[in-house]
Amino acid sequence: IDTGEPLWSERWLTSFNCNAADPIVHNGKLFLSSGYNRGAALFDLSSGRPERIWKSKEMKNQLHGSLLHDGHLYGIDGDMETGGRLVCMRWDDGEVVWAEEDLRPGGLAMADGDLLLLREDGHLTLAPATPAGWNPVADVKVLEGKCWTRPVLSGGRIFCRTVDGQVVCVDCRD
C-alpha cells in the first residue's frame, strides 16, 4: 500500500470496454456489474485476492450501478435502447427475487428505504425497496423526452433531467 502498487486486479471484459456502473463494496465483498450482456458477479475479498461467490446474467447494469438495501440489490438490468427491466436480486446468492419487465426504467435512486425510479418516459415513481415486490405508492409525470439519468434527492427536493439536459425540481418538503 505504501508503494502505490496494485494489490490485485480482476479481469472484467465487456463489449466496447465499457464498464459504467459503479461497483459496491460491502462487508468484505465486491459486487461488479456491466451491461452489453456481461452480467454481474459477487466476489469475496477476505483472502486478499478476489474469489468469486456467484455470477449471473440477470443483472446487467449498462449505465447505473445497482443499489444495496437490506441484503438485496435493486438495479436496472439490460440495454437502455431496447428497454431494461427493474430487478431485485439477493446479495448473498444472486437469485432474482422479482423483476418488472414493462417499466422502461431510466434511472434509479434510493432514499429512506424507498426507490425513486425515473422512467424513460419522464414518469417519477416512488415505491418501497422490498423483496416483497414492486408496489408503487406515487407516480407523476415530471418531464417530456428521454430520461436515462438517476434522480437526485437533496433538501427535500428531487431533481430529474432528460438526456437533452431539461431539468425539473420536484418539491417534496412538507
Side-chain angles (χ1 to χ4, degrees):
I1 292 175
D2 293 336
T3 67
E5 293 294 317
L7 298 175
W8 54 264
S9 66
E10 179 65 30
R11 190 174 170 117
W12 191 257
L13 297 176
T14 61
S15 299
F16 314 110
N17 289 324
C18 182
N19 291 295
D22 292 329
I24 297 173
V25 177
H26 177 70
N27 286 344
K29 294 182 175 73
L30 169 70
F31 172 78
L32 293 177
S33 182
S34 296
Y36 305 102
N37 204 37
R38 176 61 167 119
L42 185 69
F43 297 89
D44 185 346
L45 303 177
S46 63
S47 71
R49 294 199 50 79
E51 295 178 25
R52 190 174 69 214
I53 298 169
W54 57 259
K55 69 177 181 175
S56 172
K57 293 273 188 168
E58 298 293 326
M59 185 73 84
K60 299 175 294 294
N61 300 142
Q62 183 184 24
L63 297 180
H64 310 292
S66 291
L67 305 169
L68 176 61
H69 179 69
D70 287 343
H72 291 82
L73 293 159
Y74 299 88
I76 299 172
D77 166 56
D79 182 352
M80 300 301 281
E81 286 291 340
T82 58
R85 65 185 184 147
L86 184 63
V87 173
C88 172
M89 172 182 275
R90 283 195 306 256
W91 170 263
D92 289 335
D93 61 12
E95 291 297 316
V96 172
V97 178
W98 57 258
E100 289 291 325
E101 304 285 339
D102 299 325
L103 293 173
R104 292 198 64 97
L108 185 65
M110 183 177 293
D112 293 331
D114 289 323
L115 296 171
L116 295 166
L117 177 69
L118 181 59
R119 296 193 334 238
E120 183 180 67
D121 67 0
H123 278 260
L124 181 63
T125 307
L126 176 74
T130 173
W134 176 250
N135 298 301
V137 295
D139 183 86
V140 62
K141 175 94 169 166
V142 296
L143 284 167
E144 295 293 332
K146 188 185 297 183
C147 299
W148 283 358
T149 59
R150 187 181 300 260
V152 175
L153 181 66
S154 178
R157 296 179 179 103
I158 303 170
F159 297 86
C160 304
R161 76 172 172 85
T162 67
V163 297
D164 295 325
Q166 180 186 4
V167 178
V168 67
C169 174
V170 180
D171 193 343
C172 299
R173 297 174 294 175
D174 290 335

